[in-house]
Amino acid sequence: MDASFLNSFHLDILKEIGNIGAGNAATALANILDKKVDMKVPQIRIMGFSEVSEVLGGAETAVAGILLGIRGDISGYILFVLEETAAKVLVNILMGKNPEEEVAYNEITLSALKEVGNILTGSYLSALSTLTGLMIKPDVPDIAIDMAGAILSVPAIDFGKTTDTVLYIETEFIEGKNRVIGDFFLVPDTDSYMKLINTLGAIY
Amino acid sequence: MSENVIKVGMADLKHTLHPGTLITLGLGSCVGVALYDTKTKIIGLAHIMLPWSHQARNRFNKAKFADTGIKLLLDNMIESGAHRDSIVAKLAGGAQMFAYTAVSDVIRVGERNVEATKKVLADFNIPVIAEDTGGRHGRTIEFYSEDGRLMIKTIGYGITYI
């Protein structure tokens, strides 16, 4: 997705989508955790490749990335990335354990995380779908826990085909003393990108 | 010993005279191309994101692609005194971070980056003497001018030298 095509209207709409999406996601998260979850107003960010490694605490920071393919009127994928320390907190709360406890990543914990990512990205996509009127279907999620640089290279490479920047939405969820910062990278393929821009443009 | 440590970013390339160390953090599907001139100990490192420049609409950043990136790195090294005939290559990266199969382009980009890199190096008659590529994990690499060793650091797969 070439962020240079985006004007301030597009960014406002994307921000609004991010807002509604994150709102939905916070509600969904509150339901899964059975706890009150607040959120901060999401930030839309456009950054150059050189800064990619600075997101989420540096290129070598361990992060969890949950990737969800999208189909329907637009195709591509959405990637939700959060720091591994935050992922640990989420898994522990889900499992009814102390948030600080060490987590062994096995089939159970990974699928729990996948499910959280699935619900959060699903909420975001449904906001996008509602606001644009485009039919957007999420696919099966996939998860990877590794260095931030390596995970973020996936959207960066796709943006890289047309531009030297990456667009993402930073969202902060707050549950009691626990804060979870997550970044959503929406990566439509080239045709879908134009469709999305045109649809967003037509809203105004 | 060497205080000359240079960081190479994503879609970036750097070279240095001996003594020096070049590092790049968190390679995923990208490929780290490490070139070593065995005579002068000049080293160069490129963090390649995509295989071929002609397949992209935006070619402004030469370091982003295997073809234009390797050529530029070689030119820079030779300008600094390296000899084409004594340059050897080591490769790291080109992983597939997600197994997701519906995004065919995404899943194979690591593999295609490695293929393109090898093709370009072969065209320049530069032998690939060692590699740690593929798999499903990220890599941080450090490249030393002293002996041309390449250190590869991972999460969960330990540290290796090639």
Side-chain angles (χ1 to χ4, degrees):
Chain A
M1 179 142 89
D2 187 349
S4 63
F5 284 149
L6 296 170
N7 60 34
S8 59
F9 285 132
H10 296 138
L11 288 178
D12 279 348
I13 301 166
L14 283 173
K15 194 169 188 173
E16 186 56 20
I17 290 168
N19 229 338
I20 296 170
N24 290 351
T27 310
L29 196 57
N31 286 336
I32 320 174
L33 301 177
D34 197 20
K35 289 182 193 306
K36 185 175 179 303
V37 175
D38 287 320
M39 52 163 262
K40 282 198 174 165
V41 177
Q43 302 291 317
I44 293 254
R45 296 187 192 277
I46 296 171
M47 62 176 171
F49 291 150
S50 53
E51 305 159 81
V52 165
S53 56
E54 307 308 319
V55 181
L56 291 166
E60 288 189 290
T61 309
V63 299
I66 296 128
L67 185 138
L68 211 69
I70 50 182
R71 302 163 187 274
D73 289 335
I74 60 169
S75 53
Y77 62 90
I78 183 166
L79 174 67
F80 178 65
V81 184
L82 74 168
E83 276 191 51
E84 194 272 332
T85 45
K88 191 177 78 177
V89 170
L90 277 180
V91 169
N92 279 329
I93 297 177
L94 275 172
M95 302 285 176
K97 291 182 178 166
N98 179 349
E100 304 305 320
E101 224 168 282
E102 283 307 313
V103 168
Y105 290 104
N106 51 36
E107 230 170 280
I108 296 167
T109 47
L110 284 179
S111 80
L113 257 186
K114 244 192 228 182
E115 193 46 32
V116 172
N118 199 10
I119 289 165
L120 297 185
T121 42
S123 313
Y124 179 81
L125 289 176
S126 85
L128 185 63
S129 179
T130 307
L131 259 96
T132 57
L134 295 169
M135 187 194 63
I136 302 167
K137 279 192 200 159
D139 227 316
V140 193
D142 190 10
I143 190 166
I145 294 172
D146 212 307
M147 299 177 185
I151 302 269
L152 297 178
S153 75
V154 175
I157 283 171
D158 284 288
F159 282 100
K161 290 171 189 161
T162 48
T163 178
D164 292 320
T165 54
V166 178
L167 177 131
Y168 69 104
I169 296 162
E170 187 184 270
T171 313
E172 187 172 342
F173 300 101
I174 301 153
E175 185 278 311
K177 274 184 287 177
N178 301 308
R179 307 159 86 78
V180 173
I181 297 177
D183 293 333
F184 290 97
F185 295 80
L186 179 66
V187 189
D189 59 33
T190 311
D191 293 345
S192 301
Y193 175 69
M194 291 319 292
K195 197 185 244 176
L196 189 60
I197 288 298
N198 291 336
T199 313
L200 290 176
I203 293 174
Y204 277 82
Chain B
M1 179 195 81
S2 144
E3 296 299 316
N4 176 26
V5 178
I6 304 170
K7 207 162 146 181
V8 181
M10 189 180 275
D12 184 17
L13 54 84
K14 295 274 164 49
H15 73 289
T16 182
L17 302 176
H18 175 64
T21 302
L22 297 171
I23 63 173
T24 197
L25 308 175
L27 283 166
S29 302
C30 299
V31 173
V33 182
L35 300 182
Y36 182 61
D37 179 1
T38 52
K39 278 192 188 132
T40 62
K41 295 190 175 182
I42 291 174
I43 51 171
L45 181 61
H47 186 140
I48 302 291
M49 283 180 90
L50 289 161
W52 306 105
S53 59
H54 61 82
Q55 289 173 349
R57 276 191 289 160
N58 175 349
R59 295 166 210 167
F60 180 73
N61 179 2
K62 289 198 169 82
K64 197 156 71 178
F65 308 99
D67 53 353
T68 50
I70 291 171
K71 184 177 185 308
L72 181 62
L73 183 61
L74 268 177
D75 289 348
N76 291 348
M77 287 172 69
I78 289 165
E79 206 180 291
S80 296
H83 305 287
R84 168 76 62 88
D85 297 345
S86 51
I87 293 177
V88 294
K90 292 181 179 180
L91 306 178
Q96 179 185 320
M97 299 309 296
F98 292 96
Y100 184 59
T101 47
V103 191
S104 57
D105 243 23
V106 176
I107 63 151
R108 287 203 58 242
V109 74
E111 201 181 311
R112 287 190 294 123
N113 277 336
V114 175
E115 279 168 17
T117 300
K118 285 182 178 168
K119 173 86 175 55
V120 174
L121 288 169
D123 288 347
F124 282 114
N125 278 319
I126 293 172
V128 176
I129 57 166
E131 65 176 298
D132 177 18
T133 57
R136 283 202 59 184
H137 60 277
R139 297 168 171 92
T140 279
I141 56 174
E142 292 188 20
F143 191 31
Y144 311 107
S145 69
E146 178 57 39
D147 48 8
R149 266 188 321 159
L150 188 69
M151 184 194 75
I152 298 146
K153 221 167 29 172
T154 63
I155 293 181
Y157 294 86
I159 295 176
T160 49
Y161 289 88
I162 60 171

